[in-house]
């Protein structure tokens, strides 16, 4: 290479890694990880080496990818390296593009055909369905985390925020029943992709692929022992915030926000330091434009449905090549959603009053919400209906990935094109996956209140409430 790589990074000095891989170049960087393109010396296979600086994110990604191993629409984890007092390094299959690049290219060219859109959707749904059948919620679905190979196969990636909802009730991907069905000629193009061979377990580091002869139960028992060795007090780590039952708005209590209701809420990717005694999750996950209303209102008792909202936003973007709700802050994000769907009330979703910030953050009544139709101009009734099945307030009403794979939309003309005919961009655009904007550049704001017009702050016994006009 013309520009030599810095050798101060641990990945360049760890003998167990450089003995097996040549580090070629750094291809991505964020607050919690750096990604390098590498070459496996044994067979010249090009791989991605992801050095994860946050132990909790590393464990989550390894756990999820081990469970999903063999799924055609989930990125392959070849092996990983992890020693005490060192960052984890995950060796993943290298995919040079992503759905965000597909959308960006389509904007510059002639858009996406219906056949292309359907094929991208089917692949996304297959990946999400496999996750959800295994009770894994991804929590950060967005175009930039949907990687694409040269063959057009799309794979879910970046499971650093994923959670396993029921670890003792896992369903293996091998037992999944057939999902989407078309005629025999097209069936080979659906939910299929190249499967990487299983790697032999390395003796370097703490773990890799499940060794032959070891059951999944034995593997996770050993994995839990490793996790216990690395357990730290997350309250002392700057990269994580133990928010317990609090939300991204910190429920606007004065003790949480130091008497400053105008403090920026852009730091929304903090991870929970573990479930509290009630098993609550943090609401501060995902990328703002794809976050569900229950997360924006501070829910810590959510489930797989938060991924389904994100799917609806991604599908809408495939149709229009524009983000559905490009909020500049969390409050602006809610405001944009309400302007389209109308106010969130008990009539629409009875349990909305249980959301931590529902009574703290309020908006004046929207008399004439624009509706999703206004966001999807020139799209068919069936296409609008598909998005409506996902982008709705009540989580229980959102259609599952399995249900959508059987939707009539995918069986009607024009049919999904073969995967091999999909247009794949030559490169993946630069992005910081750990920034509030993720793939996108225009999501930052000094304060949630900069662009929202007049509002009232009312002192309450619990702190204060904010009403926007």
């Amino acid at each position: 290479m013309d520009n030599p790589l810095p050798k101060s990074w641990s990945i360049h000095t760890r003998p167990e890694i450089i003995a097996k891989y040549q580090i070629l170049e750094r291809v991505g960087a964020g607050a919690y990880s750096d990604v390098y393109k590498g070459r496996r010396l044994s067979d010249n296979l090009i791989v991605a080496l992801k050095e994860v600086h946050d132990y909790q994110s590393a464990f989550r990604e390894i756990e999820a990818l081990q469970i999903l191993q063999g799924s055609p629409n989930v990125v392959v984890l070849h092996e990983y390296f992890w020693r005490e007092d060192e960052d984890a390094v995950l060796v993943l299959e290298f995919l040079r593009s992503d759905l965000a690049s597909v959308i960006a290219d389509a904007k510059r060219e002639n858009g996406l055909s219906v056949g292309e859109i359907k094929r991208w959707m089917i692949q996304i749904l297959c990946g999400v369905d496999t996750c959800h059948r295994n009770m894994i919620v991804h929590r950060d679905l967005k175009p930039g985390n949907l990687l694409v190979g040269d063959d057009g196969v799309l794979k879910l990636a970046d499971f650093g925020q994923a959670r396993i909802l029921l670890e003792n009730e896992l369903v293996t991907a091998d037992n999944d029943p057939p999902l989407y069905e078309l005629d025999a000629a097209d069936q080979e193009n659906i939910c299929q992709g190249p499967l990487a061979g299983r790697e032999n377990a390395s003796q370097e580091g703490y773990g890799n692929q499940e060794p032959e002869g070891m059951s999944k139960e034995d593997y996770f028992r050993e994995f839990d022992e490793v996790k216990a060795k690395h357990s730290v007090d997350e309250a002392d780590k700057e990269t994580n915030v133990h928010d317990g039952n609090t939300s991204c708005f910190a429920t606007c209590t004065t003790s949480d926000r130091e008497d400053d209701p105008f403090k920026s809420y852009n730091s929304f990717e903090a991870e929970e330091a573990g479930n509290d005694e009630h098993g609550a999750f943090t609401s501060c996950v995902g990328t703002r434009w794809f976050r569900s209303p229950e997360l924006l209102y501070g829910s810590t008792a959510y489930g797989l449905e938060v991924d389904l909202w994100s799917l609806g936003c991604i599908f809408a973007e495939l149709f229009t090549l524009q983000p559905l709700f490009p909020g500049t802050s969390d409050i602006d994000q809610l405001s944009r959603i309400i302007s389209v769907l109308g106010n969130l009330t008990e009539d629409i979703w009875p349990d909305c009053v249980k959301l931590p910030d529902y009574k703290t953050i309020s908006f004046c009544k929207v008399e004439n919400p624009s509706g999703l139709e206004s966001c999807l101009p020139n799209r068919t009734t069936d296409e609008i209906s598909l998005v409506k099945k996902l982008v709705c307030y009540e989580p229980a009403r959102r259609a599952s990935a399995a249900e959508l794979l059987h939707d009539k939309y995918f069986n009607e003309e024009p049919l999904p094109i073969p995967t091999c005919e999909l247009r794949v961009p030559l490169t993946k655009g630069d992005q910081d996956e750990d920034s509030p904007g993720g793939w996108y550049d225009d999501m930052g704001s000094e304060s949630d209140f900069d662009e929202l017009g007049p509002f009232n702050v009312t002192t309450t016994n619990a702190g204060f409430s904010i009403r926007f006009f």
Side-chain angles (χ1 to χ4, degrees), residues 177-349:
L179 297 176
Y180 168 65
E181 296 182 0
L182 280 180
D183 56 46
D186 189 54
Q187 186 64 40
E188 64 180 5
N189 293 311
I190 300 165
C191 299
Q192 293 183 2
L195 299 180
R198 299 178 72 84
E199 305 294 319
N200 293 327
S202 169
Q203 299 303 310
E204 306 293 346
Y206 282 118
N208 285 290
Q209 295 290 4
E210 177 186 330
E212 289 188 18
M214 176 181 287
S215 67
K216 181 174 285 190
E217 291 75 16
D218 291 338
Y219 165 77
F220 279 111
R221 185 159 46 250
E222 288 196 8
F223 192 81
D224 287 338
E225 291 175 1
V226 176
K227 184 183 293 187
K229 288 183 181 179
H230 286 265
S231 178
V232 298
D233 182 3
E234 286 300 293
D236 295 332
K237 294 190 67 178
E238 294 181 0
T239 58
N240 288 289
V241 178
H242 186 181
D243 56 5
N245 287 324
T246 66
S247 70
C248 290
F249 294 129
T251 63
C252 291
T253 58
T254 53
S255 59
D256 289 332
R257 287 296 175 189
E258 303 176 332
D259 300 316
D260 184 4
F262 308 104
K263 201 166 185 177
S264 172
Y265 299 124
N266 285 338
S267 179
F268 61 87
E269 288 187 339
E271 284 291 339
E272 62 267 74
N275 296 354
D276 65 9
E277 64 272 19
H278 304 295
F281 294 154
T282 179
S283 63
C284 303
V285 291
T287 303
R288 181 186 300 126
W289 291 2
F290 305 92
R291 295 179 71 216
S292 64
E294 61 266 30
L295 290 177
L296 292 165
Y297 272 114
S299 175
T300 59
Y302 52 84
L304 303 172
E305 297 84 3
V306 298
D307 284 349
L308 301 176
W309 174 279
S310 301
L311 274 185
C313 296
I314 294 169
F315 288 179
E317 190 163 345
L318 281 171
F319 286 135
T320 66
L321 306 181
Q322 299 291 339
L324 180 60
F325 300 120
T328 59
S329 64
D330 286 352
I331 292 175
D332 182 53
Q333 189 72 21
L334 273 175
S335 177
R336 289 172 183 266
I337 293 170
I338 289 170
S339 69
V340 173
L341 301 184
N343 296 86
L344 176 56
T345 65
E346 290 182 81
D347 292 336
I348 296 173
W349 178 22

Side-chain angles (χ1 to χ4, degrees), residues 25-70:
E25 61 180 322
R26 189 166 70 174
V27 295
Y32 302 135
S33 65
D34 293 280
V35 181
Y36 299 83
K37 182 179 180 181
R39 181 176 63 87
R40 190 163 61 187
L41 299 177
S42 62
D43 59 2
N44 292 323
L45 177 70
I46 298 299
V47 298
L49 295 104
K50 183 175 183 179
E51 186 176 35
V52 185
H53 312 309
D54 176 64
Y55 98 96
Q56 194 174 67
S57 295
F59 273 120
R60 286 176 177 168
E61 187 149 18
I62 293 169
E63 272 189 307
L65 291 178
Q66 288 282 0
I67 293 169
L68 299 171
Q69 186 68 23

